[in-house]
């Protein structure tokens, strides 16, 4: 009995935490979605047919895209418990031949989907906080001139607090979002009681009839319907934190019912009072509850923004470890939670971009045109990658059922994508531009590092024969341990060759250390380290980390000491040798001029290896080398 109670309490706690992190974005969509559907790019007459038609499209969008695609199907594609588009890409590539055309296409798609997330992480805070504070205008129009300054002040405060971490504030996220969804349900439910006719929209026939009667308008308005689905990708991206059961239970038991009640409540209000279209969400509340609702909505949108900002940190961290981004300053803000990180460079770049968005678009309605394009692109890419993964996971009838469902969802995603293409000229260009820039940088870095590795490898000597020659006729030996950081496990590091050439000495013990990243999120400590003895005084250490883990050389060396009795890494007797490459133009360049310049700039500004791998800086010797690209 006690065990069952404890298990139930654990599940409830995970569900509550998931409400605060996973559902913040999609949970604040009612602030603006129905208004944009009926009064946005193509204003529709507020009549029964149009209101019921749009509500039906929104509801069945939630059921098919969020419930069926993400909660029921995609959440089953977990990479050692982790989700997200990069984890899905790793799963898809695992089934393919490295370097094949199909693998290259899927890699490009997956990285582009990840790159688009940066555009989403800029627009979400801007549109969410703006839409919440626009409720002030319902209280009194005298506050209208202050909406933009207050929005910017809230956003500056949100980004400024990131360096302190979200551990303490995060404990409040779940209860606040529980209150938020409860308020959504109560406000919507009360209006539905007043006008239950609106429940007819649960029948998909109303949505289909709207499409048949208004095919052109319906196609364009799909770009607004997708606003109700923004945040769906977070369900999959945050699976590693809370697990599939907690996320799916929270969705079906609270989030989906609350969203449905609120959207339908707004529809019921519009059927009773078409003038409420100016802001149907806030007009759901009675006069006395308007100010508290604005305050609660602002807090909820800050929470939604926090989830996206944290996601941008996590995405960048994964990109660094998977080799698609140069090393960056990553600060861990919690001693107990691995996932809580802070990246100053990303943080301030996002803040400046978000403020420029607020100043440029000036209203949530204008931002709605820019919003959704990045999201629906990522959704489409997720479906394509899911095909590649589930084609190998399932067999027989289950395979055909899942692939058939994904085929239908691919058609829906394609329609949503096509409708959102129309929004490019009206603001959709912004997330597309950010995504293209991020994609170019990531692919340039990946390509540059591969070429750099090839050039360095071409000039290196085989490790095995070299060690034997040094053992047979060693140079002058000095006290201590020399640790040579190297990417290759079977060739001599350039730093060692330079050290022998210029200093003509060799330490008593020599260690070749390679730190690698696996295509899984976490590697158990038992599988972390491999130690090989290459000679009497030569050792090779291969340390493997998951793409979501923090890499630490001191941690690796401490583990090696427990495995290899002959190796002791006394801080004052251990020196670390690293190579530092300078990129110069080759006679026959392997990269175009502009890509080489970008790669060289990224290479120069990457966080130093000493900081990234937590190597004591006063024990490091860097050996420079020029590499032609």
């Amino acid at each position: 009995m006690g065990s069952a109670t404890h298990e139930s309490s654990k599940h409830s706690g995970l569900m509550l935490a998931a409400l605060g992190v996973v559902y913040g974005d999609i949970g604040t969509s009612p602030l603006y979605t129905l208004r944009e559907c009926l009064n946005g790019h193509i204003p529709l007459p507020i009549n029964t047919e149009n209101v019921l038609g749009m509500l039906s499209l929104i509801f069945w969008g939630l059921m098919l895209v969020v419930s069926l695609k993400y909660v029921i199907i995609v959440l089953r594609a977990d990479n050692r418990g982790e989700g997200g588009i990069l984890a899905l890409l790793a799963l898809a590539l695992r089934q393919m031949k490295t370097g094949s055309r199909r693998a290259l296409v899927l890699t490009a798609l997956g990285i582009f989907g990840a790159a688009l997330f940066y555009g989403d992480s800029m627009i979400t805070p801007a549109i969410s906080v703006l839409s919440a504070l626009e409720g002030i205008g319902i209280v009194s129009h005298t506050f209208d001139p202050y909406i933009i300054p207050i929005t910017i002040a809230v956003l500056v405060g949100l980004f400024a607090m990131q360096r302190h971490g979200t551990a303490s504030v995060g404990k409040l996220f779940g209860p606040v979002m529980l209150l938020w969804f409860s308020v959504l349900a109560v406000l919507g439910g009360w209006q539905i009681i007043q006008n239950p006719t609106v429940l007819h929209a649960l029948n998909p026939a109303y949505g289909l009839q709207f499409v048949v009667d208004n095919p052109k308008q319906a196609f364009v308005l799909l770009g607004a319907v997708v606003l109700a689905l923004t945040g769906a990708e977070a369900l999959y991206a945050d699976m590693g934190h809370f697990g599939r059961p907690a996320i799916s239970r929270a969705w079906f038991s609270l989030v989906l019912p609350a969203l449905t009640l609120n959207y339908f409540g707004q529809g019921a209000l519009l059927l009773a009072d078409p003038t409420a279209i100016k802001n149907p969400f806030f007009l759901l509340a009675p006069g006395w509850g308007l100010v508290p609702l604005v305050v609660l909505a602002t807090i909820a949108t800050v929470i939604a923004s926090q989830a996206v900002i944290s996601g941008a940190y996590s995405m960048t961290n994964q990109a660094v470890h998977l080799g698609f981004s140069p090393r960056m300053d990553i600060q861990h803000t919690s001693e107990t939670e691995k996932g809580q990180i802070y990246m100053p460079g990303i943080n301030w770049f996002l803040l400046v971009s978000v403020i420029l968005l607020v100043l440029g678009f000036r209203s949530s309605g204008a931002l709605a045109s820019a919003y959704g394009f990045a999201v629906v692109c990522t959704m489409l890419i997720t479906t394509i990658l899911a095909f590649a993964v589930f084609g190998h996971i399932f067999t027989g009838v289950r395979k055909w059922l899942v692939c058939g469902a994904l085929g239908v969802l691919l058609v829906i995603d394609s329609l949503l994508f096509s409708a959102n293409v129309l929004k490019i000229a009206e603001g959709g260009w912004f997330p597309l531009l950010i995504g293209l820039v991020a994609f170019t940088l990531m692919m340039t870095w990946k390509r540059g590092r591969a070429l750099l590795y090839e050039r360095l490898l071409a000039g290196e000597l085989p490790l095995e024969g070299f060690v034997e020659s040094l053992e047979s006729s060693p140079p002058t030996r000095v006290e201590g341990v020399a640790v040579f950081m190297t990417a290759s496990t079977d060739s001599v590091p350039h730093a060692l060759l330079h050290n022998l050439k210029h200093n003509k000495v060799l330490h008593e013990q020599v260690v070749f250390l390679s730190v690698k990243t696996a295509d899984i999120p976490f590697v158990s400590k038992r599988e972390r380290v491999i130690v090989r003895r290459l000679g009497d005084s030569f050792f090779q250490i291969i340390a493997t980390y998951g793409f979501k883990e923090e890499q630490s050389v001191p941690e690796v060396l401490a583990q090696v000491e427990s495995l290899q009795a002959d190796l002791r890494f006394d801080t004052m007797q251990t020196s670390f040798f690293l190579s530092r490459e300078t990129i110069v133009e080759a006679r026959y360049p392997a990269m175009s001029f502009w890509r080489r310049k970008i790669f060289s700039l990224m290479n120069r500004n990457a966080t130093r290896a000493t900081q990234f791998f937590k190597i004591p800086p006063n024990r490091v010797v860097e050996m420079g080398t020029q590499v032609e690209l």
Side-chain angles (χ1 to χ4, degrees), residues 81-122:
E82 288 293 323
I85 195 163
L86 290 180
L88 188 64
L89 174 62
L91 280 175
L93 293 178
R94 202 174 292 167
Q95 315 296 336
M96 297 177 192
K97 183 180 178 182
T98 304
S100 66
R101 179 174 294 181
R102 192 179 178 201
L104 292 174
V105 170
L106 286 182
T107 299
L109 277 175
I111 297 304
F112 185 57
L116 285 169
F117 184 82
Y118 291 104
D120 185 27
S121 60
M122 295 170 190

Side-chain angles (χ1 to χ4, degrees), residues 362-607:
R362 304 194 71 80
S363 74
S364 62
L367 269 170
S369 298
Y371 204 32
F373 182 80
V375 176
V376 80
C377 280
T378 306
M379 287 180 176
L380 180 61
I381 292 168
T382 296
T383 306
I384 294 170
L385 292 176
F387 261 113
V389 172
F390 285 108
H392 294 275
I393 289 180
F394 295 122
T395 56
V397 177
R398 292 183 70 189
K399 176 180 178 178
W400 290 109
L401 285 174
V402 171
C403 289
L406 285 173
V408 173
L409 292 166
L410 184 62
V411 172
I412 294 172
D413 286 341
S414 300
L415 285 171
L416 293 173
F417 172 77
S418 302
N420 275 272
V421 168
L422 302 175
K423 298 163 76 173
I424 290 178
E426 299 170 0
W429 58 268
F430 179 82
L432 179 60
L433 176 64
I434 295 296
L436 286 172
V437 169
F439 174 77
T440 301
L441 292 175
M442 292 165 85
M443 296 305 286
T444 297
W445 180 257
K446 185 73 170 179
R447 175 63 176 158
R449 289 302 298 178
L451 287 171
L452 187 63
Y453 181 75
E454 287 177 11
R455 295 290 189 272
L456 291 172
L457 199 61
E460 290 181 348
L461 301 172
L463 187 60
E464 189 174 342
F466 187 81
V467 169
E468 291 172 358
S469 66
L470 284 179
E471 295 257 280
S472 60
S473 56
T476 304
R477 306 298 287 255
V478 294
E479 291 184 359
V481 180
V483 179
F484 290 89
M485 300 285 291
T486 175
S488 173
T489 57
D490 53 11
S491 58
V492 183
H494 279 271
L496 174 57
L497 295 174
H498 285 300
N499 185 51
L500 289 171
K501 179 180 178 181
H502 297 291
N503 298 325
K504 299 179 175 58
V505 294
L506 196 66
H507 285 70
E508 284 180 321
Q509 290 184 315
V510 178
V511 174
F512 303 113
L513 174 59
S514 299
V515 181
K516 299 186 174 296
T517 302
D519 65 350
I520 55 177
F522 300 99
V523 173
S524 67
K525 192 171 182 181
R526 186 175 55 187
E527 300 172 331
R528 168 95 64 230
V529 173
I530 297 173
V531 183
R532 295 172 181 157
R533 188 166 198 139
L534 305 178
D536 291 338
S537 59
F538 286 83
F539 298 85
Q540 183 179 64
I541 300 171
I542 302 173
T544 307
Y545 283 87
F547 60 75
K548 292 196 74 174
E549 292 184 289
E550 177 185 14
Q551 298 178 353
S552 171
V553 166
E555 177 189 84
V556 169
L557 299 184
Q559 188 174 347
V560 169
E561 286 186 327
S562 65
L563 298 173
Q564 181 61 253
D566 294 347
L567 277 175
R568 287 292 175 266
F569 299 98
D570 182 281
T571 304
M572 301 309 295
Q573 292 293 316
T574 304
S575 299
F576 296 87
F577 289 81
L578 288 79
S579 293
R580 190 168 183 84
E581 302 88 10
T582 302
I583 311 301
V584 296
E585 184 177 356
R587 185 176 181 182
Y588 301 102
M591 296 180 78
S592 59
F593 174 79
W594 65 273
R595 290 190 79 188
R596 187 173 63 253
K597 288 295 183 184
I598 290 173
F599 176 71
S600 181
L601 181 65
M602 294 171 76
N603 194 52
R604 286 199 306 270
N605 288 280
T607 297

